[in-house]
Amino acid sequence: MMLLLALLLQLLQLSPRAAAFDPDQEDFLSDEEQRARNYLDYVDAEFARRSTAAVRAAWDYASNITDENLARKLEVSAENARYQKQQWQETIKYHWQSFRDADLRRQFKKYAVLGTAALSEEKHDKLEKLISEMESIYSKAKICDYKNSSKCDLSLEPELVEVLRTSRDPGELQHVWLEWRRVSGEKCRASYEHYVALSNEAASLNNFTDNAEYWLTDYEANDFPEQVDRLWKQLEPLYKQLHAYVRRKLREAYGDEVVSARGPIPAHLLGNMWSQTWNNILDITTPYPQVEAVDVTSQMVKQGYKPLKMFQLAEEFFVSLNLSAMPESFWQDSILEKPTDRDIVCHASAWDFYDGKDFRIKQCTQINMQHLFTAHHEMGHVQYFLQYRDQPTVYKEGANPGFHEAVGDVMSLSVSTPRHMRELGLLDADAVDDRAAAVNYLYLQGLQKIAFLPSALLMDVWRWDVFKGRTASDRYNCDWWKLREKYQGIEPPTDRTEDDFDPGAKYHIIASVPYIRYFVSYVIQFQFHRSLCQVAGQFDPDNPEKMPLHECDIYQSKEAGNLLGKMLQMGSSRPWTDAMQVVTGQREMDASGLLQYFSPLLEWLQQENNRTGEYIGWEPTTKVCVSSREELERLRGVETATEG
Ligand code: X8Z
Ligand code: ZN
């Protein structure tokens, strides 16, 4: 009878609202759960099939930006949104919150969030179109050469990145910095405003207060922004020491007309378009210039490195840990060099096609050390895809997005050690391993890892403010610069206005990719590194002096690889705290890994800044940010008048 009733209810698509722990209802309950399992099997297969189609269309567009490919991508996306909406109606009929099977509850919880498909067809299409068009503007943007104004075919990758990396002419750096913002961000400003409104509307249709709250669901913690804030408080003193030292070195290189003693650092002098990693200014800031150089770019060029070789090296590292090699099709279908016959989205990315077979990377690889690490970074994503390929489709994600970003970087923490670089033949075999060399190495790592932290954090602090309406559209740019100054202690090379849109000159902003994942990654990768090094017998927490964390290289440690693999195989099937526990025994993000790694550098920086009497921190910028260029002209007019 019970069975019959259940069957009837099933036919009617009505699920019994049973109390979870009522023993009399047990059969009833498990019956619904059984039905839910079957339902999930079906949905999962369909979801995978549709994801494959969507990813194929997205790949086709990103690797060949044409109107036809955009139309096709939008078509598939619209069709999927229609399907998802229908399916969602079915999904929410289940009383999944009262299921006793935690895994079933978890999968339903994920499927119960519809996302942007909740929008009307028209608005969904508009939102997709806006993002794709901003990506297209960003990817096709070109500027003219500083010295040769008739040469106007310079793209971000490789030309502008290269100027920022190598030029030491402040005029040229400022030209490239300003021009890039003029042809990318500024052109996206109106679309961005529209994008914010539609994203918020989608979030509210999903019962979130705004899109910021929606984005944060990935982290399964209500206090996540506070957690991140706490981490930053712990890391800020280290950042400020690095900042003060770099400012002095830049002042010595460019003069105090260009770099002041106590102000924020001019953003265009840090070797990177977004001032987010500073490793490219190693040559003019290195602590001990007479000791061997730790940047291996020139060696890579000298030895004729090719993009393929860089990815093969990365693969070999993963395989040495007993992790997976890339499938044959990966090598066939990936794009590892910038094509010359069409426009593509050059920003590096890794792609899971959700069919268990097709995995690719797209990267406009340049031959330099940074791109060697980016190759490992991207392959880290693919390694994660491979490890969780047998999970249900909803679990084919990182434990949280920060985990996904951390995998390849953990490899790079070993690969970049001088010991490993020597084994690769990229550093002199007979160079000395003394304290000065160690400081040089840790300093280079600091320029990449410590410098990055505030820039990663503020990217989403700004967007959370935007989505929450705390930053209105007429404050987009000036609020951006307030945060750049507050967190990073940098300033623009010239005054800015609300006619500019500098956040939009960064890929992840216009492509709608949340950024806090990278902040998380840069913290937890040191937790992973520490634990894996311990397992590999390369780090002894009781004797860090003898075996410092920054010298550890987990290469060829199957123990380390197996432990990491165990975590990767989980995908997002468990809360990230559980995944983290597998590798580290810890259940929270913790800055102590990073602080421990950099402790010899902190000590050195403190001594050095003390010695030269550096001001730690920064006084307010003298640059202004106003409502419009017209207003700026007016102000400047007033200024000249009063001066006159
Ligand atoms: O975007 C990336 C990767 C792809 S997930 C190339 N990264 C961030 C960036 O470039 O801004 C890696 C580190 C930071
Ligand atoms: Zn990544």
Side-chain angles (χ1 to χ4, degrees), residues 454-475:
S455 90
L457 177 56
L458 78 84
M459 205 93 74
D460 277 3
V461 169
W462 181 80
R463 278 189 286 192
W464 296 337
D465 282 350
V466 166
F467 289 130
K468 289 189 174 299
R470 295 191 285 237
T471 285
S473 59
D474 61 354
R475 299 275 321 154

mmCIF file with all atom_site columns, all heavy atoms in Angstrom, residues 454-475:
data_model
loop_
_atom_site.group_PDB
_atom_site.id
_atom_site.type_symbol
_atom_site.label_atom_id
_atom_site.label_alt_id
_atom_site.label_comp_id
_atom_site.label_asym_id
_atom_site.label_entity_id
_atom_site.label_seq_id
_atom_site.pdbx_PDB_ins_code
_atom_site.Cartn_x
_atom_site.Cartn_y
_atom_site.Cartn_z
_atom_site.occupancy
_atom_site.B_iso_or_equiv
_atom_site.pdbx_formal_charge
_atom_site.auth_seq_id
_atom_site.auth_comp_id
_atom_site.auth_asym_id
_atom_site.auth_atom_id
_atom_site.pdbx_PDB_model_num
ATOM 1   N N   . PRO A 1 454 ? 47.272 42.168 -2.097  1.00 0.00 ? 454 PRO A N   1
ATOM 2   C CA  . PRO A 1 454 ? 46.277 43.249 -2.003  1.00 0.00 ? 454 PRO A CA  1
ATOM 3   C C   . PRO A 1 454 ? 45.581 43.519 -3.320  1.00 0.00 ? 454 PRO A C   1
ATOM 4   O O   . PRO A 1 454 ? 44.401 43.884 -3.347  1.00 0.00 ? 454 PRO A O   1
ATOM 5   C CB  . PRO A 1 454 ? 47.109 44.457 -1.560  1.00 0.00 ? 454 PRO A CB  1
ATOM 6   C CG  . PRO A 1 454 ? 48.504 44.149 -1.960  1.00 0.00 ? 454 PRO A CG  1
ATOM 7   C CD  . PRO A 1 454 ? 48.643 42.649 -1.881  1.00 0.00 ? 454 PRO A CD  1
ATOM 8   N N   . SER A 1 455 ? 46.281 43.336 -4.435  1.00 0.00 ? 455 SER A N   1
ATOM 9   C CA  . SER A 1 455 ? 45.648 43.604 -5.724  1.00 0.00 ? 455 SER A CA  1
ATOM 10  C C   . SER A 1 455 ? 44.544 42.587 -5.985  1.00 0.00 ? 455 SER A C   1
ATOM 11  O O   . SER A 1 455 ? 43.485 42.923 -6.518  1.00 0.00 ? 455 SER A O   1
ATOM 12  C CB  . SER A 1 455 ? 46.689 43.631 -6.852  1.00 0.00 ? 455 SER A CB  1
ATOM 13  O OG  . SER A 1 455 ? 46.882 42.372 -7.406  1.00 0.00 ? 455 SER A OG  1
ATOM 14  N N   . ALA A 1 456 ? 44.768 41.342 -5.578  1.00 0.00 ? 456 ALA A N   1
ATOM 15  C CA  . ALA A 1 456 ? 43.736 40.310 -5.759  1.00 0.00 ? 456 ALA A CA  1
ATOM 16  C C   . ALA A 1 456 ? 42.534 40.587 -4.863  1.00 0.00 ? 456 ALA A C   1
ATOM 17  O O   . ALA A 1 456 ? 41.388 40.419 -5.275  1.00 0.00 ? 456 ALA A O   1
ATOM 18  C CB  . ALA A 1 456 ? 44.321 38.935 -5.446  1.00 0.00 ? 456 ALA A CB  1
ATOM 19  N N   . LEU A 1 457 ? 42.815 41.019 -3.654  1.00 0.00 ? 457 LEU A N   1
ATOM 20  C CA  . LEU A 1 457 ? 41.732 41.268 -2.713  1.00 0.00 ? 457 LEU A CA  1
ATOM 21  C C   . LEU A 1 457 ? 40.849 42.438 -3.154  1.00 0.00 ? 457 LEU A C   1
ATOM 22  O O   . LEU A 1 457 ? 39.620 42.352 -3.168  1.00 0.00 ? 457 LEU A O   1
ATOM 23  C CB  . LEU A 1 457 ? 42.343 41.537 -1.328  1.00 0.00 ? 457 LEU A CB  1
ATOM 24  C CG  . LEU A 1 457 ? 41.392 41.895 -0.195  1.00 0.00 ? 457 LEU A CG  1
ATOM 25  C CD1 . LEU A 1 457 ? 40.317 40.827 -0.024  1.00 0.00 ? 457 LEU A CD1 1
ATOM 26  C CD2 . LEU A 1 457 ? 42.168 42.050 1.117   1.00 0.00 ? 457 LEU A CD2 1
ATOM 27  N N   . LEU A 1 458 ? 41.471 43.507 -3.567  1.00 0.00 ? 458 LEU A N   1
ATOM 28  C CA  . LEU A 1 458 ? 40.678 44.711 -3.847  1.00 0.00 ? 458 LEU A CA  1
ATOM 29  C C   . LEU A 1 458 ? 39.819 44.579 -5.103  1.00 0.00 ? 458 LEU A C   1
ATOM 30  O O   . LEU A 1 458 ? 38.789 45.237 -5.232  1.00 0.00 ? 458 LEU A O   1
ATOM 31  C CB  . LEU A 1 458 ? 41.582 45.948 -3.954  1.00 0.00 ? 458 LEU A CB  1
ATOM 32  C CG  . LEU A 1 458 ? 42.374 46.181 -5.232  1.00 0.00 ? 458 LEU A CG  1
ATOM 33  C CD1 . LEU A 1 458 ? 41.556 46.888 -6.308  1.00 0.00 ? 458 LEU A CD1 1
ATOM 34  C CD2 . LEU A 1 458 ? 43.610 46.995 -4.929  1.00 0.00 ? 458 LEU A CD2 1
ATOM 35  N N   . MET A 1 459 ? 40.236 43.692 -5.993  1.00 0.00 ? 459 MET A N   1
ATOM 36  C CA  . MET A 1 459 ? 39.473 43.500 -7.224  1.00 0.00 ? 459 MET A CA  1
ATOM 37  C C   . MET A 1 459 ? 38.020 43.123 -6.889  1.00 0.00 ? 459 MET A C   1
ATOM 38  O O   . MET A 1 459 ? 37.085 43.589 -7.519  1.00 0.00 ? 459 MET A O   1
ATOM 39  C CB  . MET A 1 459 ? 40.133 42.360 -8.006  1.00 0.00 ? 459 MET A CB  1
ATOM 40  C CG  . MET A 1 459 ? 39.904 42.394 -9.457  1.00 0.00 ? 459 MET A CG  1
ATOM 41  S SD  . MET A 1 459 ? 41.205 43.246 -10.326 1.00 0.00 ? 459 MET A SD  1
ATOM 42  C CE  . MET A 1 459 ? 42.531 42.069 -10.245 1.00 0.00 ? 459 MET A CE  1
ATOM 43  N N   . ASP A 1 460 ? 37.863 42.233 -5.898  1.00 0.00 ? 460 ASP A N   1
ATOM 44  C CA  . ASP A 1 460 ? 36.496 41.849 -5.538  1.00 0.00 ? 460 ASP A CA  1
ATOM 45  C C   . ASP A 1 460 ? 35.906 42.710 -4.431  1.00 0.00 ? 460 ASP A C   1
ATOM 46  O O   . ASP A 1 460 ? 34.685 42.828 -4.345  1.00 0.00 ? 460 ASP A O   1
ATOM 47  C CB  . ASP A 1 460 ? 36.413 40.355 -5.200  1.00 0.00 ? 460 ASP A CB  1
ATOM 48  C CG  . ASP A 1 460 ? 36.270 39.549 -6.489  1.00 0.00 ? 460 ASP A CG  1
ATOM 49  O OD1 . ASP A 1 460 ? 36.306 40.167 -7.584  1.00 0.00 ? 460 ASP A OD1 1
ATOM 50  O OD2 . ASP A 1 460 ? 36.113 38.309 -6.418  1.00 0.00 ? 460 ASP A OD2 1
ATOM 51  N N   . VAL A 1 461 ? 36.734 43.330 -3.618  1.00 0.00 ? 461 VAL A N   1
ATOM 52  C CA  . VAL A 1 461 ? 36.177 44.301 -2.662  1.00 0.00 ? 461 VAL A CA  1
ATOM 53  C C   . VAL A 1 461 ? 35.449 45.374 -3.477  1.00 0.00 ? 461 VAL A C   1
ATOM 54  O O   . VAL A 1 461 ? 34.320 45.760 -3.170  1.00 0.00 ? 461 VAL A O   1
ATOM 55  C CB  . VAL A 1 461 ? 37.283 44.919 -1.774  1.00 0.00 ? 461 VAL A CB  1
ATOM 56  C CG1 . VAL A 1 461 ? 36.740 46.109 -0.999  1.00 0.00 ? 461 VAL A CG1 1
ATOM 57  C CG2 . VAL A 1 461 ? 37.827 43.873 -0.802  1.00 0.00 ? 461 VAL A CG2 1
ATOM 58  N N   . TRP A 1 462 ? 36.095 45.780 -4.572  1.00 0.00 ? 462 TRP A N   1
ATOM 59  C CA  . TRP A 1 462 ? 35.452 46.775 -5.444  1.00 0.00 ? 462 TRP A CA  1
ATOM 60  C C   . TRP A 1 462 ? 34.150 46.232 -6.031  1.00 0.00 ? 462 TRP A C   1
ATOM 61  O O   . TRP A 1 462 ? 33.109 46.883 -5.993  1.00 0.00 ? 462 TRP A O   1
ATOM 62  C CB  . TRP A 1 462 ? 36.418 47.185 -6.578  1.00 0.00 ? 462 TRP A CB  1
ATOM 63  C CG  . TRP A 1 462 ? 35.834 48.219 -7.507  1.00 0.00 ? 462 TRP A CG  1
ATOM 64  C CD1 . TRP A 1 462 ? 35.757 49.562 -7.302  1.00 0.00 ? 462 TRP A CD1 1
ATOM 65  C CD2 . TRP A 1 462 ? 35.231 47.981 -8.797  1.00 0.00 ? 462 TRP A CD2 1
ATOM 66  N NE1 . TRP A 1 462 ? 35.145 50.179 -8.384  1.00 0.00 ? 462 TRP A NE1 1
ATOM 67  C CE2 . TRP A 1 462 ? 34.815 49.233 -9.310  1.00 0.00 ? 462 TRP A CE2 1
ATOM 68  C CE3 . TRP A 1 462 ? 35.003 46.828 -9.561  1.00 0.00 ? 462 TRP A CE3 1
ATOM 69  C CZ2 . TRP A 1 462 ? 34.187 49.365 -10.558 1.00 0.00 ? 462 TRP A CZ2 1
ATOM 70  C CZ3 . TRP A 1 462 ? 34.378 46.956 -10.794 1.00 0.00 ? 462 TRP A CZ3 1
ATOM 71  C CH2 . TRP A 1 462 ? 33.974 48.223 -11.285 1.00 0.00 ? 462 TRP A CH2 1
ATOM 72  N N   . ARG A 1 463 ? 34.193 45.003 -6.558  1.00 0.00 ? 463 ARG A N   1
ATOM 73  C CA  . ARG A 1 463 ? 32.975 44.468 -7.185  1.00 0.00 ? 463 ARG A CA  1
ATOM 74  C C   . ARG A 1 463 ? 31.869 44.193 -6.170  1.00 0.00 ? 463 ARG A C   1
ATOM 75  O O   . ARG A 1 463 ? 30.695 44.381 -6.464  1.00 0.00 ? 463 ARG A O   1
ATOM 76  C CB  . ARG A 1 463 ? 33.292 43.213 -8.007  1.00 0.00 ? 463 ARG A CB  1
ATOM 77  C CG  . ARG A 1 463 ? 33.826 43.600 -9.369  1.00 0.00 ? 463 ARG A CG  1
ATOM 78  C CD  . ARG A 1 463 ? 33.953 42.414 -10.287 1.00 0.00 ? 463 ARG A CD  1
ATOM 79  N NE  . ARG A 1 463 ? 35.077 41.558 -9.935  1.00 0.00 ? 463 ARG A NE  1
ATOM 80  C CZ  . ARG A 1 463 ? 35.516 40.585 -10.730 1.00 0.00 ? 463 ARG A CZ  1
ATOM 81  N NH1 . ARG A 1 463 ? 34.919 40.334 -11.876 1.00 0.00 ? 463 ARG A NH1 1
ATOM 82  N NH2 . ARG A 1 463 ? 36.557 39.854 -10.375 1.00 0.00 ? 463 ARG A NH2 1
ATOM 83  N N   . TRP A 1 464 ? 32.241 43.727 -4.969  1.00 0.00 ? 464 TRP A N   1
ATOM 84  C CA  . TRP A 1 464 ? 31.200 43.543 -3.944  1.00 0.00 ? 464 TRP A CA  1
ATOM 85  C C   . TRP A 1 464 ? 30.517 44.886 -3.690  1.00 0.00 ? 464 TRP A C   1
ATOM 86  O O   . TRP A 1 464 ? 29.302 44.963 -3.589  1.00 0.00 ? 464 TRP A O   1
ATOM 87  C CB  . TRP A 1 464 ? 31.812 42.993 -2.644  1.00 0.00 ? 464 TRP A CB  1
ATOM 88  C CG  . TRP A 1 464 ? 32.406 41.612 -2.780  1.00 0.00 ? 464 TRP A CG  1
ATOM 89  C CD1 . TRP A 1 464 ? 32.085 40.674 -3.731  1.00 0.00 ? 464 TRP A CD1 1
ATOM 90  C CD2 . TRP A 1 464 ? 33.426 41.009 -1.961  1.00 0.00 ? 464 TRP A CD2 1
ATOM 91  N NE1 . TRP A 1 464 ? 32.843 39.525 -3.557  1.00 0.00 ? 464 TRP A NE1 1
ATOM 92  C CE2 . TRP A 1 464 ? 33.670 39.702 -2.473  1.00 0.00 ? 464 TRP A CE2 1
ATOM 93  C CE3 . TRP A 1 464 ? 34.163 41.433 -0.851  1.00 0.00 ? 464 TRP A CE3 1
ATOM 94  C CZ2 . TRP A 1 464 ? 34.614 38.837 -1.906  1.00 0.00 ? 464 TRP A CZ2 1
ATOM 95  C CZ3 . TRP A 1 464 ? 35.089 40.554 -0.282  1.00 0.00 ? 464 TRP A CZ3 1
ATOM 96  C CH2 . TRP A 1 464 ? 35.312 39.269 -0.803  1.00 0.00 ? 464 TRP A CH2 1
ATOM 97  N N   . ASP A 1 465 ? 31.305 45.937 -3.577  1.00 0.00 ? 465 ASP A N   1
ATOM 98  C CA  . ASP A 1 465 ? 30.730 47.277 -3.359  1.00 0.00 ? 465 ASP A CA  1
ATOM 99  C C   . ASP A 1 465 ? 29.824 47.680 -4.523  1.00 0.00 ? 465 ASP A C   1
ATOM 100 O O   . ASP A 1 465 ? 28.762 48.264 -4.325  1.00 0.00 ? 465 ASP A O   1
ATOM 101 C CB  . ASP A 1 465 ? 31.839 48.332 -3.205  1.00 0.00 ? 465 ASP A CB  1
ATOM 102 C CG  . ASP A 1 465 ? 32.475 48.289 -1.818  1.00 0.00 ? 465 ASP A CG  1
ATOM 103 O OD1 . ASP A 1 465 ? 31.927 47.586 -0.930  1.00 0.00 ? 465 ASP A OD1 1
ATOM 104 O OD2 . ASP A 1 465 ? 33.525 48.932 -1.622  1.00 0.00 ? 465 ASP A OD2 1
ATOM 105 N N   . VAL A 1 466 ? 30.247 47.376 -5.727  1.00 0.00 ? 466 VAL A N   1
ATOM 106 C CA  . VAL A 1 466 ? 29.450 47.723 -6.909  1.00 0.00 ? 466 VAL A CA  1
ATOM 107 C C   . VAL A 1 466 ? 28.130 46.950 -6.897  1.00 0.00 ? 466 VAL A C   1
ATOM 108 O O   . VAL A 1 466 ? 27.046 47.530 -7.030  1.00 0.00 ? 466 VAL A O   1
ATOM 109 C CB  . VAL A 1 466 ? 30.238 47.444 -8.211  1.00 0.00 ? 466 VAL A CB  1
ATOM 110 C CG1 . VAL A 1 466 ? 29.320 47.467 -9.431  1.00 0.00 ? 466 VAL A CG1 1
ATOM 111 C CG2 . VAL A 1 466 ? 31.370 48.453 -8.374  1.00 0.00 ? 466 VAL A CG2 1
ATOM 112 N N   . PHE A 1 467 ? 28.203 45.642 -6.719  1.00 0.00 ? 467 PHE A N   1
ATOM 113 C CA  . PHE A 1 467 ? 26.971 44.836 -6.744  1.00 0.00 ? 467 PHE A CA  1
ATOM 114 C C   . PHE A 1 467 ? 26.037 45.209 -5.597  1.00 0.00 ? 467 PHE A C   1
ATOM 115 O O   . PHE A 1 467 ? 24.821 45.123 -5.707  1.00 0.00 ? 467 PHE A O   1
ATOM 116 C CB  . PHE A 1 467 ? 27.308 43.338 -6.687  1.00 0.00 ? 467 PHE A CB  1
ATOM 117 C CG  . PHE A 1 467 ? 27.924 42.810 -7.961  1.00 0.00 ? 467 PHE A CG  1
ATOM 118 C CD1 . PHE A 1 467 ? 29.093 42.054 -7.925  1.00 0.00 ? 467 PHE A CD1 1
ATOM 119 C CD2 . PHE A 1 467 ? 27.346 43.053 -9.203  1.00 0.00 ? 467 PHE A CD2 1
ATOM 120 C CE1 . PHE A 1 467 ? 29.672 41.558 -9.095  1.00 0.00 ? 467 PHE A CE1 1
ATOM 121 C CE2 . PHE A 1 467 ? 27.908 42.565 -10.383 1.00 0.00 ? 467 PHE A CE2 1
ATOM 122 C CZ  . PHE A 1 467 ? 29.076 41.813 -10.324 1.00 0.00 ? 467 PHE A CZ  1
ATOM 123 N N   . LYS A 1 468 ? 26.613 45.600 -4.477  1.00 0.00 ? 468 LYS A N   1
ATOM 124 C CA  . LYS A 1 468 ? 25.776 45.946 -3.326  1.00 0.00 ? 468 LYS A CA  1
ATOM 125 C C   . LYS A 1 468 ? 25.258 47.379 -3.402  1.00 0.00 ? 468 LYS A C   1
ATOM 126 O O   . LYS A 1 468 ? 24.556 47.839 -2.506  1.00 0.00 ? 468 LYS A O   1
ATOM 127 C CB  . LYS A 1 468 ? 26.548 45.730 -2.018  1.00 0.00 ? 468 LYS A CB  1
ATOM 128 C CG  . LYS A 1 468 ? 26.747 44.247 -1.720  1.00 0.00 ? 468 LYS A CG  1
ATOM 129 C CD  . LYS A 1 468 ? 27.300 44.002 -0.351  1.00 0.00 ? 468 LYS A CD  1
ATOM 130 C CE  . LYS A 1 468 ? 27.347 42.514 -0.044  1.00 0.00 ? 468 LYS A CE  1
ATOM 131 N NZ  . LYS A 1 468 ? 26.044 41.836 -0.052  1.00 0.00 ? 468 LYS A NZ  1
ATOM 132 N N   . GLY A 1 469 ? 25.667 48.098 -4.439  1.00 0.00 ? 469 GLY A N   1
ATOM 133 C CA  . GLY A 1 469 ? 25.193 49.471 -4.608  1.00 0.00 ? 469 GLY A CA  1
ATOM 134 C C   . GLY A 1 469 ? 25.916 50.471 -3.715  1.00 0.00 ? 469 GLY A C   1
ATOM 135 O O   . GLY A 1 469 ? 25.532 51.629 -3.630  1.00 0.00 ? 469 GLY A O   1
ATOM 136 N N   . ARG A 1 470 ? 26.979 50.008 -3.041  1.00 0.00 ? 470 ARG A N   1
ATOM 137 C CA  . ARG A 1 470 ? 27.730 50.950 -2.195  1.00 0.00 ? 470 ARG A CA  1
ATOM 138 C C   . ARG A 1 470 ? 28.610 51.856 -3.048  1.00 0.00 ? 470 ARG A C   1
ATOM 139 O O   . ARG A 1 470 ? 28.994 52.934 -2.652  1.00 0.00 ? 470 ARG A O   1
ATOM 140 C CB  . ARG A 1 470 ? 28.586 50.184 -1.179  1.00 0.00 ? 470 ARG A CB  1
ATOM 141 C CG  . ARG A 1 470 ? 27.747 49.399 -0.165  1.00 0.00 ? 470 ARG A CG  1
ATOM 142 C CD  . ARG A 1 470 ? 28.571 48.857 0.985   1.00 0.00 ? 470 ARG A CD  1
ATOM 143 N NE  . ARG A 1 470 ? 29.368 47.719 0.606   1.00 0.00 ? 470 ARG A NE  1
ATOM 144 C CZ  . ARG A 1 470 ? 29.307 46.515 1.198   1.00 0.00 ? 470 ARG A CZ  1
ATOM 145 N NH1 . ARG A 1 470 ? 28.493 46.313 2.223   1.00 0.00 ? 470 ARG A NH1 1
ATOM 146 N NH2 . ARG A 1 470 ? 30.075 45.532 0.801   1.00 0.00 ? 470 ARG A NH2 1
ATOM 147 N N   . THR A 1 471 ? 28.948 51.335 -4.240  1.00 0.00 ? 471 THR A N   1
ATOM 148 C CA  . THR A 1 471 ? 29.637 52.159 -5.231  1.00 0.00 ? 471 THR A CA  1
ATOM 149 C C   . THR A 1 471 ? 28.690 52.320 -6.410  1.00 0.00 ? 471 THR A C   1
ATOM 150 O O   . THR A 1 471 ? 28.430 51.364 -7.143  1.00 0.00 ? 471 THR A O   1
ATOM 151 C CB  . THR A 1 471 ? 30.952 51.480 -5.680  1.00 0.00 ? 471 THR A CB  1
ATOM 152 O OG1 . THR A 1 471 ? 31.911 51.621 -4.633  1.00 0.00 ? 471 THR A OG1 1
ATOM 153 C CG2 . THR A 1 471 ? 31.508 52.121 -6.938  1.00 0.00 ? 471 THR A CG2 1
ATOM 154 N N   . ALA A 1 472 ? 28.142 53.526 -6.562  1.00 0.00 ? 472 ALA A N   1
ATOM 155 C CA  . ALA A 1 472 ? 27.213 53.773 -7.672  1.00 0.00 ? 472 ALA A CA  1
ATOM 156 C C   . ALA A 1 472 ? 28.018 53.948 -8.957  1.00 0.00 ? 472 ALA A C   1
ATOM 157 O O   . ALA A 1 472 ? 29.235 54.145 -8.917  1.00 0.00 ? 472 ALA A O   1
ATOM 158 C CB  . ALA A 1 472 ? 26.386 55.015 -7.375  1.00 0.00 ? 472 ALA A CB  1
ATOM 159 N N   . SER A 1 473 ? 27.313 53.900 -10.101 1.00 0.00 ? 473 SER A N   1
ATOM 160 C CA  . SER A 1 473 ? 28.036 53.911 -11.374 1.00 0.00 ? 473 SER A CA  1
ATOM 161 C C   . SER A 1 473 ? 28.795 55.219 -11.601 1.00 0.00 ? 473 SER A C   1
ATOM 162 O O   . SER A 1 473 ? 29.771 55.248 -12.338 1.00 0.00 ? 473 SER A O   1
ATOM 163 C CB  . SER A 1 473 ? 27.088 53.626 -12.531 1.00 0.00 ? 473 SER A CB  1
ATOM 164 O OG  . SER A 1 473 ? 26.090 54.602 -12.549 1.00 0.00 ? 473 SER A OG  1
ATOM 165 N N   . ASP A 1 474 ? 28.382 56.298 -10.959 1.00 0.00 ? 474 ASP A N   1
ATOM 166 C CA  . ASP A 1 474 ? 29.142 57.542 -11.154 1.00 0.00 ? 474 ASP A CA  1
ATOM 167 C C   . ASP A 1 474 ? 30.368 57.632 -10.240 1.00 0.00 ? 474 ASP A C   1
ATOM 168 O O   . ASP A 1 474 ? 31.038 58.661 -10.178 1.00 0.00 ? 474 ASP A O   1
ATOM 169 C CB  . ASP A 1 474 ? 28.234 58.771 -10.958 1.00 0.00 ? 474 ASP A CB  1
ATOM 170 C CG  . ASP A 1 474 ? 27.643 58.831 -9.553  1.00 0.00 ? 474 ASP A CG  1
ATOM 171 O OD1 . ASP A 1 474 ? 27.848 57.875 -8.772  1.00 0.00 ? 474 ASP A OD1 1
ATOM 172 O OD2 . ASP A 1 474 ? 26.970 59.831 -9.234  1.00 0.00 ? 474 ASP A OD2 1
ATOM 173 N N   . ARG A 1 475 ? 30.637 56.503 -9.513  1.00 0.00 ? 475 ARG A N   1
ATOM 174 C CA  . ARG A 1 475 ? 31.822 56.463 -8.649  1.00 0.00 ? 475 ARG A CA  1
ATOM 175 C C   . ARG A 1 475 ? 32.744 55.303 -9.020  1.00 0.00 ? 475 ARG A C   1
ATOM 176 O O   . ARG A 1 475 ? 33.698 55.011 -8.296  1.00 0.00 ? 475 ARG A O   1
ATOM 177 C CB  . ARG A 1 475 ? 31.397 56.277 -7.179  1.00 0.00 ? 475 ARG A CB  1
ATOM 178 C CG  . ARG A 1 475 ? 30.521 57.376 -6.584  1.00 0.00 ? 475 ARG A CG  1
ATOM 179 C CD  . ARG A 1 475 ? 31.311 58.534 -6.035  1.00 0.00 ? 475 ARG A CD  1
ATOM 180 N NE  . ARG A 1 475 ? 32.532 58.104 -5.365  1.00 0.00 ? 475 ARG A NE  1
ATOM 181 C CZ  . ARG A 1 475 ? 33.607 58.857 -5.236  1.00 0.00 ? 475 ARG A CZ  1
ATOM 182 N NH1 . ARG A 1 475 ? 33.605 60.078 -5.726  1.00 0.00 ? 475 ARG A NH1 1
ATOM 183 N NH2 . ARG A 1 475 ? 34.682 58.403 -4.625  1.00 0.00 ? 475 ARG A NH2 1
#
